[in-house]
Amino acid sequence: MQIKEVISTDVLVVGSGLAGLKSGIELAKAGKTVIMSTKTQLCSGSSFFPLKASLGTQITKDDADKEVFLQDIEDVSHHMHDREMAKIYIEEIRDRVEEYEEIGINPYKLSEDRKACFANHARTIYMLRDWNKIRENVRDILVEYPNLSLWERSAVISLIKKDEKVAGAFLLDKNNDLFMIKSKAVVLATGGFGNIYKHNLNPHDVDGSGHILALEAGASLVNMEFIQFIPGITTPKYKTLWGEHTLNYCQDFVDEEGNSILDGVLPEGLSKKECLKIRSTHGPFTNSLPSKYFDIAMMKEIIRTKSEAGFELIYDPSIYENEGDFYTIYLDWLKERGINLVTDRIKIAPFGHASNGGVKIDSYGRTAVQGLYAIGELAGGIEGANRLGGNSTGSCMVFGKRAAQSCLEYVNSHNFIDINVEDEISQLHQVIQKASAKAEHSLTPNEVIEAIQEIMWFYGNVIRDEKNLQAAMGKIEELKSKYDMWSFVNNGSEQKSAFKARNFIILSSILLQAMLERKESRGAHYREDFPTENEDYNKRLFVSLKDDNFQLAFQ
C-alpha cells in the first residue's frame, strides 16, 4: 500500500452520526481544523438509519427528578453502568437538548410525559425525525465552517500512535487511495457493531471498526456481552422496526402451521396474556423480566428448525381505532411503507440492534490513550445490562460536547508529533501480514464477513450456552486460518472490505469470549446454562489487548 498524500489537521473525527456531528461542529466552532471521515454519506450510522418513524431523547424533568432518574438508570443497568457518567447525563441533558438546532435538528416535545423503554417513571421526551431534512440542514451548517473538511465514503483503517499519544491515522478515501492524516487528537464516533449479525437493524457502516481501532491503540473495552436484540419485521417488508406497544392488540403469536410458539416455553404461573402485556412495554430482549419468553420462544424455534422466516402476529382489527399519538405515528409510518398490521401477514424475528458496551471512557470521552476520544454508541458509559430508552441520543449530545471541550484543551496544549512516514507504513504492513494466513486458497473478504454474520446470529444471539459459544469460536478460528488479507489489500475494489473482514474476525472473537466469560444471565445477556443473575458477577468485564492476545478481567 502506497501513501498518496500526508495531510495535517488539528482533529480527526471518525463518524458523522449525532455524536460525531456534535463534537466536530463544536471543535470547528472553536476555530480548530477538523477532518470528519464517514464510511457512507454525511449523517450516517444508527443515528440516521430510518428504521422507525422517530427517535426520542429523554430529559430530566426537574431537580426533584434527578435522584429518581438516577435510580431508573441503576435499576435498568443491574450495576453495570458508570455512575458518574449517569449523574452527568442527568445534570446536563436539559441544556444539550437546546443545542440540537446547532447540528441541524429541530426536535419536537411530546405533549405529555411518557415512560421510555425500561423506565419506571414518565418524563419529558423530545422526538427527532425527518432524517433527510436534517442532512440538508447539516450540509448548510458545514458551509459556515471552511475549517471542517468532510470526507464521505472514506474509512479509517488504523490509528498512528507515538510516545503513548495518538499522532494520526491511515485513511482510505472514496477512491481507495491511502492517506496519512497527521492529527493532534482523534475523536472516534463510529457507532456500534450490529452489522456483525446476519439480521440486524443497522446500516452497513455500523460494523465495530472503531472498537478495533481503539483496542489496538491501547484503549480497553467494557460490557461487550450486553447486546440489544430487538424484534424486527421479516415480512412483508424486511428489516423494519416492529413496535412492541402493538402487542396490546395481539391475539396470538404463531408458527407457519398456526401453532402458538409461546405455549411450549411459558413457565407455570405466567399466562400468555400477561407475557404479551409485559413485553409490550419494552423493545429489546431482557432476561430481567418474565416477558423474556417471548424472544426465547422465537430463538428456540429458529435454532431448532434453522428457518429464518419469522413468526406471525395475529392482530385485533381494533388497533386501527386507537387515536393516541403513540399508535397513530407508528401506524401511519407503516402505512407509508405499504404495511397494514391486520390485512398483511406480519412476521417478526430477533434482530441485532444496539451495543450497550464499548470503549472504556471517562466523563469527558477520554480513553486510556492520550489524545484519543470515544463517544456515542461506540463508548461504554451510562448503559449497562439493559439500555434505558431515550438516553442514547442524549448521550451523543452530552458526551459529544464534553469530549469536544476536553479535546480543545488537549489540542491547544499539544503540538503535532513528528512521525516517520516510512516507519508508519511499515508498521501498517506488519499489521496486515499478521492477519494474513497465507492459505493456499483464501476466502474472499465478503465470504468471511457473511460467514461471521451467520455464525454470530445463530450462536451469539438471544440464547447462549457454553457448547454453542465454544463451537462458534472454533468456526471463527477456522475462518481466520483461511483468510489471506494481504492478497486483497492491494486490490482497489476490495481494500475496505478486506479490513472489515479482518475486524469482524477480531470482534467476533471478543464478543464470543465475553459471552462465555459471564456465566450468568443479566439484562441483555442470557445464558441458558446459567439462567439466573449471580452476585459474584456484580462486576464489569473489561477487554484489553496485550502482545496480540485478548485479556479479559472482571473489575
Side-chain angles (χ1 to χ4, degrees), residues 15-25 36 43-48 55-57 100 103 105 128 131 134 138 189 375-376 392-397 400-401:
S16 68
L18 291 179
L21 290 173
K22 181 59 178 171
S23 61
I25 291 174
M36 181 178 290
C43 300
S44 61
S46 294
S47 299
F48 293 90
L55 292 175
T57 300
Y100 264 130
I103 61 170
I105 298 171
L128 287 61
W131 314 124
I134 293 172
V138 174
I375 50 177
S392 55
T393 52
S395 293
C396 293
M397 298 296 288
K401 177 148 189 169

Side-chain angles (χ1 to χ4, degrees), residues 21 25 42-43 48 100-107 129-145:
L21 290 173
I25 291 174
L42 178 65
C43 300
F48 293 90
Y100 264 130
E101 192 171 346
E102 295 176 12
I103 61 170
I105 298 171
N106 297 300
R129 61 181 179 183
D130 197 349
W131 314 124
N132 290 330
K133 176 59 177 172
I134 293 172
R135 186 174 288 112
E136 291 176 12
N137 294 343
V138 174
R139 289 196 185 278
D140 290 340
I141 290 169
L142 294 189
V143 172
E144 302 172 16
Y145 299 103

Side-chain angles (χ1 to χ4, degrees), residues 233-282:
I233 295 175
T234 58
T235 186
K237 190 172 180 63
Y238 177 71
K239 205 165 179 173
T240 301
L241 184 68
W242 167 73
E244 70 280 355
H245 55 296
T246 62
L247 278 181
N248 289 312
Y249 293 87
C250 182
Q251 298 172 332
D252 209 346
F253 191 29
V254 301
D255 62 17
E256 193 63 33
E257 284 73 42
N259 302 311
S260 176
I261 67 168
L262 289 173
D263 290 343
V265 299
L266 292 180
E268 187 176 351
L270 179 65
S271 68
K272 187 186 304 182
K273 182 178 180 179
E274 182 66 14
C275 179
L276 295 178
K277 180 180 178 181
I278 299 171
R279 191 62 184 81
S280 73
T281 65
H282 61 93

Side-chain angles (χ1 to χ4, degrees), residues 31-228:
K32 299 302 157 187
T33 55
V34 178
I35 288 177
M36 181 178 290
S37 166
T38 179
K39 291 197 194 79
T40 55
Q41 62 180 327
L42 178 65
C43 300
S44 61
S46 294
S47 299
F48 293 90
F49 183 55
L51 59 83
K52 61 184 296 187
S54 59
L55 292 175
T57 300
Q58 180 178 209
I59 73 167
T60 312
K61 288 198 298 185
D62 48 37
D63 286 347
D65 184 44
K66 290 178 181 177
E67 284 302 317
V68 178
F69 199 169
L70 184 61
Q71 189 61 52
D72 269 0
I73 292 174
E74 291 182 345
D75 289 345
V76 165
S77 164
H78 288 250
H79 311 291
M80 297 294 111
H81 68 302
D82 184 309
R83 183 179 173 85
E84 179 189 2
M85 290 181 67
K87 291 177 72 173
I88 287 169
Y89 177 90
I90 290 166
E91 289 288 341
E92 298 185 5
I93 184 56
R94 291 176 66 88
D95 292 334
R96 296 294 82 79
V97 164
E98 298 298 322
E99 297 171 359
Y100 264 130
E101 192 171 346
E102 295 176 12
I103 61 170
I105 298 171
N106 297 300
Y108 68 96
K109 180 181 176 182
L110 291 182
S111 57
E112 297 180 355
D113 289 352
R114 181 173 296 149
K115 287 184 181 180
C117 183
F118 292 131
N120 294 320
H121 301 87
R123 49 184 53 90
T124 306
I125 295 178
Y126 284 82
M127 304 302 292
L128 287 61
R129 61 181 179 183
D130 197 349
W131 314 124
N132 290 330
K133 176 59 177 172
I134 293 172
R135 186 174 288 112
E136 291 176 12
N137 294 343
V138 174
R139 289 196 185 278
D140 290 340
I141 290 169
L142 294 189
V143 172
E144 302 172 16
Y145 299 103
N147 52 322
L148 192 157
S149 175
L150 176 65
W151 290 45
E152 294 181 289
R153 310 203 180 280
S154 64
V156 174
I157 57 174
S158 181
L159 297 180
I160 300 169
K161 192 174 78 167
K162 186 176 180 182
D163 300 328
E164 301 306 312
K165 299 183 182 72
V166 162
F170 286 107
L171 177 150
L172 290 168
D173 76 348
K174 62 183 179 181
N175 299 315
N176 285 314
D177 289 324
L178 181 66
F179 288 77
M180 174 185 280
I181 309 296
K182 293 180 65 175
S183 63
K184 296 179 182 180
V186 174
V187 178
L188 296 176
T190 53
F193 49 77
N195 190 241
I196 203 168
Y197 285 93
K198 181 178 182 180
H199 301 292
N200 64 83
L201 290 175
N202 299 110
H204 292 302
D205 58 334
V206 181
D207 59 9
S209 60
H211 298 75
I212 307 305
L213 290 172
L215 186 69
E216 293 188 326
S220 59
L221 308 177
V222 62
N223 284 349
M224 295 297 283
E225 66 273 32
F226 297 116
I227 305 166
Q228 279 192 351

